[in-house]
Amino acid sequence: MSKPIYILNGPNLNRLGTREPEIYGHTTLAEVEVMCREAASGHAIVFRQSNREYEIIDWVHEAIEEGSSGIIINPAAFTFTSMAIMDALKMFSGPIIELHISNIHKREPIYHKSYVSLVATAVIAGLGTKGYPVAVGAMVEMIGPRLAKA
Ligand code: CA2
């Protein structure tokens, strides 16, 4: 049985679907979680959100200790500030997909320098919330099919 894919979400994403729909759309994070589970082809998913940097770091450590098969992370504003999340991700040996709902490169210069991109296997940005199931599909391809229990 493969180990879970961790999908981690950073600050304010618990409010997704409630403001700036022209950038982030109308879909809520709970609906995004459902989309991810549907795209997972039977792989286990751990889906979490926090407004606290330390909690995201602890979850990366948990993913490492659990032997998680891959991490998908939307670090939100921590993308541009957190060397600590970058350092934690560096310790993870599996694939990492950095995900953004908006195309951060099309936005103001403060959104252009991602610490997480320096350690990510791949980056998805600008697909809206549909980027999440796309990331899950890509992750499933990278880690291979779910193995049935012997
Ligand atoms: O596009 C993304 O997914 C971002 O990671 C979202 C972050 C922003 O700081 C990044 O530059 C790009 C902001 C998340 C704000 O959360 C929201 C809360 C309510 C409605 C919409 C977004």
Side-chain angles (χ1 to χ4, degrees):
M1 186 85 155
S2 70
K3 296 290 190 168
I5 298 167
Y6 274 63
I7 305 178
L8 304 179
N9 294 281
N12 298 307
L13 286 166
N14 53 318
R15 308 279 300 155
L16 195 66
T18 64
R19 66 173 175 89
E20 297 181 89
E22 66 289 356
I23 301 177
Y24 299 106
H26 292 280
T27 308
T28 65
L29 199 62
E31 290 165 339
V32 167
E33 179 173 354
V34 171
M35 286 155 65
C36 288
R37 292 189 188 285
E38 284 170 0
S41 309
H43 285 269
I45 297 281
V46 171
F47 190 97
R48 298 201 182 130
Q49 185 277 333
S50 181
N51 297 323
R52 300 172 183 87
E53 188 177 11
Y54 78 87
E55 206 156 32
I56 294 172
I57 294 163
D58 283 350
W59 290 338
V60 173
H61 294 174
E62 183 186 298
I64 293 165
E65 280 152 26
E66 285 277 309
S68 161
S69 44
I71 297 177
I72 297 169
I73 182 164
N74 183 348
F78 292 148
T79 308
F80 316 102
T81 62
S82 182
M83 290 182 70
I85 291 176
M86 178 190 75
D87 282 343
L89 288 168
K90 252 188 219 171
M91 296 185 261
F92 181 72
S93 57
I96 298 167
I97 299 180
E98 175 187 351
L99 170 70
H100 299 283
I101 296 164
S102 62
N103 179 357
I104 53 175
H105 302 290
K106 208 174 161 185
R107 301 179 67 185
E108 300 91 320
I110 52 161
Y111 294 108
H112 293 174
K113 167 114 191 45
S114 164
Y115 282 107
V116 173
S117 291
L118 300 173
V119 295
T121 312
V123 182
I124 295 173
L127 293 179
T129 50
K130 290 204 174 80
Y132 280 84
V134 168
V136 171
M139 183 61 78
V140 166
E141 271 197 30
M142 281 193 257
I143 65 184
R146 187 177 76 99
L147 299 175
K149 253 190 186 156

